[in-house]
Amino acid sequence: MTFFGVILGLGLGTLLAIGDLYGGRVLSIIIKFYVEFFRGSPLIIQLFIFYYSIPNLLGILIDNHTVGLIVFTLNSAAYQKGYIKGAMESVFEDQMTAALSLGLSKAQSIRHVVLPQAMRVVIPAWSNEFASMAKSTAALLVIAVPELTSNLKAIASWTWRVLETYSFGALIYLIWISVVMKILDIIYNKVKIPEIEITA
Amino acid sequence: MADTVLECRNLWKIYGKITAVKDVSLEVKEGDIKLVFGPSGSGKSTLARCLAMLTTPTKGEVILTGENLTRSGVDLNKARARIGFVFQHIWLFHHLTALGNVELGLRQVLKLPKEEARERALQALREVKMEGWAEHYPAQMSGGQQQRVGIARALAMNPEIIILDEPTSSLDPELTGEVVDTLRDLAQKGTTMLVISHEMTFAREVADEMIFIDEGAIIERGPPELFFTNPTSERARRFMARLIKRTRRE
């Protein structure tokens, strides 16, 4: 859930960042509202809204896994849009101008010049996002999506070994997050541009 | 008579209250080397960018081999691909090697197949004597080497004209020589160029015409000899005196 949420969020976040930077004022305002909503309200409330209120309003049924994925993606995209936009702005205007001078279109310039550099800048921020999302999955408890924390709760109430169960659970979160962060670290060093220290 | 490659007529660029380019008309014919110079802040760079349509002029026309680029509906990407541009601050793509920098336009704009793009990019790097640095990233090169790659990047597209916006002014004095040598090579090959520069020795050697600009307008124009012996306008005279003094000191 975390994994797909972050990946889909990256895709959507990138589109939002491009839309915000190059899409004109109206689009920019819409994106701002979207981002404010997802960054400014608790994840649990977002889950409730998407699980209870929206299906109710539209008269449809969405299963809890799908709701979980949708909310995680939308939530993560809202945060990632901020990182990616910042990174794209740090790839200065001049790189864009140089690309245009060769005859590349604006879209080509973004794709071949701005994004490849922005993505390198964004990796460290990305590992933060991943860690925070991994821990947020605990909130899925409220819409009854079986996740690590809900399983732990079941085990704990069944065995009465509360301390051991939750400590073990924390350890699993820790290992899972550390492994992913290490992998991102390796990727970061691998794609790093020689001689350039990137600070975001 | 050689054909006109790039031309501007009554060009203006106004930013709010500031007039950066004031009613400039000029014409660059095939094989011509025009040298534009003048005090900093006089609108030279803005003029260069307008000519390359990297900035839209406020008024006036830019014409590239008979095609009016200032008319609406013109595919500016296509037009820009036919005009080479070398930037004062170089602006190589940081994430690509020298070869990658030169290849990008060939692959994405001219849509050349991989092998052909590579061949042509290496050829361009050879022309600026940087083929040995093909696999290096910009941050691993000196400023002079970076600028030569910048020239190769423009050259590889086989443009009808190359506009160079103060190609040596962001470099340390000891590095300007290699870039000027590269420019001299280009001049010898008959490349059509509009160069903004204060390299007076270079100007005297290769320029067909020198254009002195101040406060956005052309103050005086003519062959290098005119400027080196007896410019008619007072402003050009004073500016030349200062430049020549500085060149001697160096």
Side-chain angles (χ1 to χ4, degrees):
Chain A
M1 183 75 78
T2 313
F3 189 73
F4 287 111
V6 174
I7 296 282
L8 292 173
L10 172 72
L12 185 60
T14 307
L15 290 178
L16 290 173
I18 294 173
D20 192 10
L21 281 175
Y22 302 103
R25 269 192 59 172
V26 179
L27 192 60
S28 184
I29 291 170
I30 296 171
I31 290 170
K32 198 173 151 71
F33 271 108
Y34 165 85
V35 170
E36 290 303 315
F37 172 73
F38 279 97
R39 298 214 322 189
S41 61
L43 184 66
I44 295 191
I45 291 182
Q46 293 164 16
L47 285 169
F48 278 142
I49 291 176
F50 276 80
Y51 189 53
Y52 297 111
S53 312
I54 290 182
N56 225 341
L57 267 168
L58 301 176
I60 45 166
L61 266 177
I62 314 174
D63 77 282
N64 50 4
H65 282 91
T66 316
V67 169
L69 188 60
I70 291 174
V71 172
F72 266 62
T73 302
L74 294 179
N75 183 288
S76 181
Y79 282 94
Q80 294 195 54
K81 180 240 143 204
Y83 306 145
I84 294 165
K85 187 184 168 198
M88 284 176 74
E89 282 170 332
S90 79
V91 179
F92 294 110
E93 193 80 26
D94 56 50
Q95 292 283 306
M96 183 85 181
T97 309
L100 290 176
S101 82
L102 289 174
L104 270 77
S105 66
K106 216 164 184 180
Q108 282 178 319
S109 306
I110 293 173
R111 177 158 165 246
H112 295 285
V113 175
V114 179
L115 277 185
Q117 295 185 50
M119 285 308 161
R120 287 171 166 91
V121 178
V122 101
I123 292 174
W126 220 40
S127 71
N128 274 338
E129 173 63 13
F130 192 86
S132 111
M133 286 298 278
K135 288 175 289 184
S136 304
T137 51
L140 287 168
L141 195 71
V142 300
I143 58 164
V145 175
E147 271 285 332
L148 184 56
T149 305
S150 55
N151 285 330
L152 291 173
K153 193 167 169 258
I155 295 169
S157 56
W158 197 31
T159 59
W160 289 92
R161 291 184 176 275
V162 178
L163 181 66
E164 291 91 329
T165 316
Y166 284 120
S167 308
F168 180 66
L171 191 67
I172 293 179
Y173 275 116
L174 183 72
I175 292 171
W176 162 227
I177 291 169
S178 310
V179 166
V180 172
M181 286 179 101
K182 186 72 208 163
I183 292 172
L184 282 173
D185 208 36
I186 292 169
I187 295 176
Y188 176 67
N189 281 310
K190 190 138 191 149
V191 301
K192 190 168 87 169
I193 306 163
E195 313 285 327
I196 290 186
E197 282 305 317
I198 296 169
T199 42
Chain B
M1 263 284 272
D3 291 331
T4 300
V5 178
L6 187 66
E7 183 182 358
C8 69
R9 289 184 198 148
N10 308 103
L11 199 74
W12 291 75
K13 180 70 190 181
I14 300 163
Y15 295 102
K17 282 181 185 160
I18 299 157
T19 305
V21 177
K22 205 188 282 176
D23 198 23
V24 170
S25 301
L26 58 84
E27 194 180 350
V28 189
K29 288 188 191 312
E30 203 181 327
D32 258 2
I33 297 173
K34 300 264 179 201
L35 193 123
V36 176
F37 71 114
S40 58
S42 60
K44 299 170 300 218
S45 287
T46 312
L47 172 65
R49 278 160 181 251
C50 286
L51 288 172
M53 291 306 278
L54 288 168
T55 304
T56 318
T58 314
K59 263 190 286 183
E61 296 176 325
V62 176
I63 299 155
L64 177 66
T65 51
E67 191 185 354
N68 190 339
L69 303 183
T70 29
R71 203 167 283 161
S72 61
V74 175
D75 186 345
L76 283 182
N77 298 326
K78 275 208 183 103
R80 290 194 196 105
R82 292 159 56 199
I83 304 173
F85 204 96
V86 174
F87 296 91
Q88 179 178 7
H89 299 287
I90 309 170
W91 296 350
L92 292 181
F93 306 125
H94 309 302
H95 65 303
L96 298 173
T97 59
L99 186 66
N101 266 277
V102 183
E103 271 180 340
L104 185 68
L106 301 174
R107 298 274 293 136
Q108 300 303 327
V109 179
L110 302 185
K111 308 279 179 204
L112 295 185
K114 211 170 169 161
E115 276 310 305
E116 203 185 327
R118 196 187 152 80
E119 224 14 79
R120 203 155 135 186
L122 283 172
Q123 176 57 35
L125 286 173
R126 212 165 306 150
E127 277 177 52
V128 299
K129 303 194 173 67
M130 283 297 289
E131 73 272 28
W133 291 76
E135 300 302 330
H136 285 77
Y137 286 87
Q140 299 168 319
M141 302 171 204
S142 74
Q145 291 172 323
Q146 288 181 31
Q147 190 57 292
R148 276 145 67 199
V149 173
I151 294 171
R153 179 171 72 178
L155 203 60
M157 300 290 287
N158 215 351
E160 288 160 43
I161 179 174
I162 299 188
I163 297 174
L164 301 101
D165 180 10
E166 303 206 39
T168 56
S169 68
S170 71
L171 304 176
D172 292 335
E174 72 264 28
L175 297 176
T176 59
E178 55 184 279
V179 174
V180 172
D181 285 342
T182 307
L183 296 181
R184 222 175 255 131
D185 287 347
L186 290 187
Q188 254 152 27
K189 284 176 196 144
T191 316
T192 311
M193 288 193 272
L194 183 135
V195 193
I196 297 175
S197 176
H198 292 139
E199 297 287 337
M200 284 300 130
T201 1
F202 171 73
R204 194 165 198 172
E205 268 174 59
V206 305
D208 297 301
E209 189 187 36
M210 286 173 69
I211 299 171
F212 178 65
I213 289 191
D214 197 9
E215 291 169 358
I218 296 181
I219 303 295
E220 191 168 355
R221 59 203 298 172
E225 280 323 304
L226 168 80
F227 284 97
F228 284 98
T229 52
N230 197 16
T232 41
S233 68
E234 183 54 33
R235 269 191 277 185
R237 197 196 305 268
R238 256 187 282 145
F239 192 71
M240 282 304 291
R242 244 186 320 180
L243 271 185
I244 291 167
K245 211 157 121 197
R246 199 186 68 186
T247 313
R248 284 219 188 94
R249 218 174 30 236
E250 278 166 10

